[in-house]
Amino acid sequence: MRIVLTSALLLAGLSAAAADTARDPSGTWLTEDGRAKIRIDRCGQSQAQVCGKVVWLKVPNTDAGAPRTDLKNPDPKKRSRPVIGLQIIDAQKDEAGKFSGSIYNAEEGKVYQVSLERESGNELNVSGCLLKILCGSQTWTKVPDVNQQAANTASEAAVPAPKPAAKPAPKAALAQ
């Protein structure tokens, strides 16, 4: 009887853990418009919350070639921060399968109330509102956990520069 009860409790614990993993939004996500990748990880006390930061931008630099910065931030002291690496999802709390909290939109310099809910293994529903009036949602797609900009920069640096064409030997050397 103890073996059956212990097995049942163990299985119940495993299925609860699997359910928790299934709704956990941790991972790297491509935004619906394809312009950014956001890495979401567990954070906070006892890893009960999630936080997210920008790890890739489709257009990482300005027309002048400088990295994109947080230009629209209402705090002038923060406007020089690079967007890549910027934490935009803050202290999400798990509430009935959804993580609720705030998200910062660097393009507007505004903070929205947001909820994150895993729709499937590869889709994350991101729903947000400003002042509970202006609301919208997006579906983000899970992508591999690779910082594409870092990988591209490293691979470009690893490619050797083309060698100059060999100069033809002088005619006198050929005649000998």
Side-chain angles (χ1 to χ4, degrees):
M1 182 66 152
R2 280 188 179 171
I3 294 173
V4 172
L5 184 58
T6 303
S7 297
L9 288 173
L10 181 60
L11 288 174
L14 289 176
S15 64
D20 185 47
T21 301
R23 61 190 170 118
D24 184 358
S26 295
T28 302
W29 302 91
L30 179 66
T31 58
E32 189 173 85
D33 60 12
R35 296 187 318 180
K37 291 180 184 176
I38 311 302
R39 174 72 196 162
I40 299 175
D41 290 304
R42 291 292 185 146
C43 63
Q45 189 174 13
S46 70
Q47 305 290 298
Q49 301 167 326
V50 295
C51 301
K53 66 180 178 178
V54 178
V55 294
W56 176 88
L57 292 172
K58 186 174 186 177
V59 182
N61 298 322
T62 64
D63 292 340
R68 294 211 177 273
T69 59
D70 191 11
L71 286 176
K72 303 273 178 121
N73 196 300
D75 182 350
K77 293 176 185 173
K78 295 181 178 179
R79 292 182 184 157
S80 62
R81 300 187 298 181
V83 173
I84 294 178
L86 185 64
Q87 184 170 323
I88 62 167
I89 298 173
D90 202 18
Q92 305 291 309
K93 297 179 183 173
D94 185 6
E95 298 170 0
K98 290 184 182 183
F99 286 79
S100 300
S102 63
I103 188 168
Y104 173 69
N105 183 337
E107 291 179 355
E108 301 170 349
K110 295 186 179 178
V111 176
Y112 296 90
Q113 294 307 305
V114 72
S115 68
L116 307 174
E117 183 175 19
R118 193 89 177 247
E119 292 180 353
S120 69
N122 292 326
E123 293 183 331
L124 182 68
N125 182 337
V126 181
S127 302
C129 292
L130 178 65
L131 303 173
K132 297 186 179 186
I133 300 170
L134 303 171
C135 298
S137 67
Q138 291 186 7
T139 300
W140 293 359
T141 307
K142 191 162 177 76
V143 294
D145 291 335
V146 174
N147 180 339
Q148 293 295 34
Q149 257 120 18
N152 288 344
T153 303
S155 65
E156 288 169 6
V159 174
K163 294 181 181 178
K167 293 181 181 179
K171 289 184 183 180
L174 291 176
Q176 294 176 358

